[in-house]
Amino acid sequence: MSRPLPLHRGVSGMRNLSNSNDFWDSEVKDKTEKEDLDRNRASDQSYLSLSVGSPRSRHKLTVLFLKLSLVVIVILALTGSFWWTLSISTLSRGHIFHGYRRLQEQLVLDLWDIGELSLGASRMKEIDFCPEESENHIPCFNISENLALGYSDGSEYDRQCGQGSRQSCLVLPPVNYKIPLRWPTGRDVIWVANVKITGQEVFTSGSLTKRMMMLEEEQISFRSASLMFDGVEDYSHQIAEMIGLRNESNFIQAGVRTILDIGCGYGSFGAHLFSKQLLTMCIANYESSGSQVQLTLERGLPAMIGSFNSKQLPYPSLSFDMLHCARCGIDWDEKDGIFLIEVDRVLKPGGYFVWTSPLTNVQSFLRNKEKQKRWNFVRDFAENLCWELMSQQEETVLWKKTSKKNCYNSRKPGSGPPICSKGQDVESPYYRPLQNCIGGTHSRRWLPIEERPTWPSRSNLNKNELALYGLHSEELNEDTTDSRTAVRNYWSLLSPLIFSDHPKRPGDEDPSPPYNMLRNVLDMNARYGGLNAALLEAGKSVWVMNVVPTSGPNYLPLILDRGYVGVLHDWCEAFPTYPRTYDMVHADGLLSLETSQHRRCTMLDLFTEIDRLLRPEGWILIRDAAPLVESARALTTRLKWDARIIEIESNSDERLLICQKPFFKKQAM
């Protein structure tokens, strides 16, 4: 059904009202003249007759009376409409209610159109492209500005999101940017032009990483699967043996599913473990070039910018089964061991901390008293954290975090950091300074990794486990059912363009399975991680960054305990990652959540950030209330997205907006 034009209706109404007023005014004018003659004969004139004795003044009074009458009529009409709406909302749930909801939606859309037109053509203008120097820029990270503001001692690398940090332009890809190769080829081979790194930086990278990389004309190859470059496989096999396992394939049987890789190089450790059903999240400091995070993400692997400098990581306490640091650049003996305390906070009970460094080499520190002093501090501090030193081989040391809380009380008085009070022990921090106390001990989620169900059973929580998060099984089941339906719908709508069901592009040779155009998804409002679970259940070889907005309920501990990766984030700020990071962005209910808050950002700000995060030819899926989706659709033309709206169900007041970001090769002037 075509939408009526509200502006045309208004013009017509005004014209009819004007004609009736002319006729009414002529009658009033004749009557007024007669009454004036009578009043002139009177000997005494009142104030009223003096003020309105002339025809012009009497006419003004009449017009004023008409205006007041119209105002009263409008107020009465609005009041009646309100009570009618209230009665319909409370008494009817059938066809009348459904029809009235449609009228409400239409009214919202009409008002949106009127508002856009009233603001003029500038409001509908397409957003300009950013200058060329912004192609790898991340808002909120500006080291030189932070130094000028007085930040130092490592905090200059932290996020500082001020009012001027938000971008209002569209980031263009580099000049020679190419669409990444399909998974799994794209995990091991990337285009040099897609990342900000030079050949010199490749050849001067760390020794372990250098063995993993080769520069071949326009590509960087990561040869972790080759017999000539088997360093990562041997290294991960060594770690498994230090735990007491036969090889890395047995990590899951030991309770290890999620790993936080600190200063991950270029993600080769996580790339190798990905094939073992282990999920490794890479975090590293912001780097202006040669970024570990950017190269890892370009390979289609989990990564984000994160720092141990001055703030706690945006993860709940007791989040990961293993933390790994191989020449990660962190001096664990600095600041009285506060970085080790943060490692302990995010590590699950019974989890493992793996540290590979020349500092841990016995032969090295025996010849250097300073190194020996630093190593002794780390070893003693780990013992005071109730970590068990399980093994030490060459440059690698492996500790196991205690799974027994009474260990902390059995320490000698004054040895090691104290246990955090309940007020200090915040489960999910955001922009919170590092704490000099042991966290996580007050959490109801304190459960050794050996006692947790192994993967993939871990993702299906029972009634008692859900009670730890304040959830009923019915809520999770409903979310799971909705997510399964959504994934089936997405696959049906977007195939054969994107998914492994139909991977071939026109002109391509037949690929060897399994290939997948979709390697990662950013779920902007993850709730319980239902989309992640549905994708894995459907056999799709993707990983999901589950983002829990700070403006809504915090179920990030649940998501991480299910064996997924995720993070807290305020969507009025830039996400801590480089441009062109994700193949798909999914937002279910996010617009409703954000508009219900007193936000300091607009829907356009949110969409501009989505465009920055999305790879060229990437997809955006927005599911929300119909009026909000229509408003979002109006913005897509400004961002140059290709968009269409899908009606989910005939009796639903929700809509699905599907958009694709074009691949613009033209550079900004």
Side-chain angles (χ1 to χ4, degrees), residues 497-516:
L497 299 175
I498 186 170
F499 293 123
S500 57
D501 302 14
H502 303 274
K504 186 180 177 183
R505 286 184 170 186
D508 285 357
E509 297 180 0
D510 290 328
S512 302
Y515 273 79
N516 200 337

Side-chain angles (χ1 to χ4, degrees), residues 36 46 197 241 252 301 305 382-383 391 448 466 481 501-502 534 561:
D36 288 342
S46 65
I197 190 171
E241 289 182 335
I252 288 181
L301 299 166
I305 298 174
E383 182 179 353
S391 181
L466 288 174
T481 302
D501 302 14
H502 303 274
D561 288 350

Side-chain angles (χ1 to χ4, degrees), residues 304-510:
M304 63 175 287
I305 298 174
S307 171
F308 275 81
N309 295 323
S310 61
K311 296 182 178 67
Q312 291 182 331
L313 298 173
Y315 310 116
S317 302
L318 320 180
S319 290
F320 295 93
D321 305 315
M322 177 184 286
L323 267 75
H324 173 256
C325 163
R327 294 185 175 89
C328 60
I330 297 178
D331 296 323
W332 298 107
D333 58 314
E334 288 190 354
K335 297 187 177 181
D336 298 324
I338 198 169
F339 301 146
L340 290 171
I341 296 175
E342 178 65 0
V343 169
D344 182 86
R345 185 187 70 83
V346 298
L347 198 60
K348 290 183 184 295
Y352 303 96
F353 177 54
V354 182
W355 182 29
T356 298
S357 169
L359 190 65
T360 66
N361 189 303
V362 176
Q363 300 300 323
S364 174
F365 65 64
L366 285 178
R367 296 189 300 268
N368 188 313
K369 296 298 182 183
E370 179 62 27
K371 286 185 178 181
Q372 185 175 7
K373 179 181 177 181
R374 295 177 62 191
W375 160 246
N376 288 339
F377 176 88
V378 174
R379 181 195 59 196
D380 295 341
F381 198 89
E383 182 179 353
N384 289 328
L385 287 171
C386 286
W387 291 1
E388 176 190 356
L389 179 58
M390 295 191 67
S391 181
Q392 182 174 2
Q393 295 183 13
E394 299 176 348
E395 295 185 348
T396 301
V397 183
L398 187 143
W399 285 277
K400 182 179 177 67
K401 177 179 175 176
T402 184
S403 57
K404 300 177 180 178
K405 294 182 184 180
N406 57 10
C407 175
Y408 302 118
N409 297 324
S410 63
R411 298 175 299 173
K412 295 180 180 179
S415 62
I419 296 176
C420 293
S421 65
K422 285 188 176 182
Q424 294 174 303
D425 199 355
V426 178
E427 187 169 59
S428 297
Y430 194 71
Y431 279 119
R432 184 177 175 85
L434 290 169
Q435 301 290 305
N436 196 15
C437 58
I438 297 174
T441 59
H442 298 283
S443 174
R444 295 189 299 171
R445 297 167 44 242
W446 183 283
L447 184 67
I449 62 173
E450 300 91 345
E451 298 179 17
R452 292 179 178 271
T454 57
W455 178 261
S457 300
R458 178 189 290 190
S459 62
N460 302 314
L461 303 179
N462 59 39
K463 182 178 180 180
N464 294 333
E465 291 169 332
L466 288 174
L468 297 176
Y469 314 96
L471 273 181
H472 298 289
S473 56
E474 293 80 7
E475 295 175 274
L476 184 62
N477 292 338
E478 182 180 357
D479 181 71
T480 300
T481 302
D482 290 345
S483 299
R484 288 170 179 167
T485 303
V487 167
R488 286 196 300 268
N489 290 338
Y490 299 157
W491 243 252
S492 175
L493 290 167
L494 296 178
S495 294
L497 299 175
I498 186 170
F499 293 123
S500 57
D501 302 14
H502 303 274
K504 186 180 177 183
R505 286 184 170 186
D508 285 357
E509 297 180 0
D510 290 328

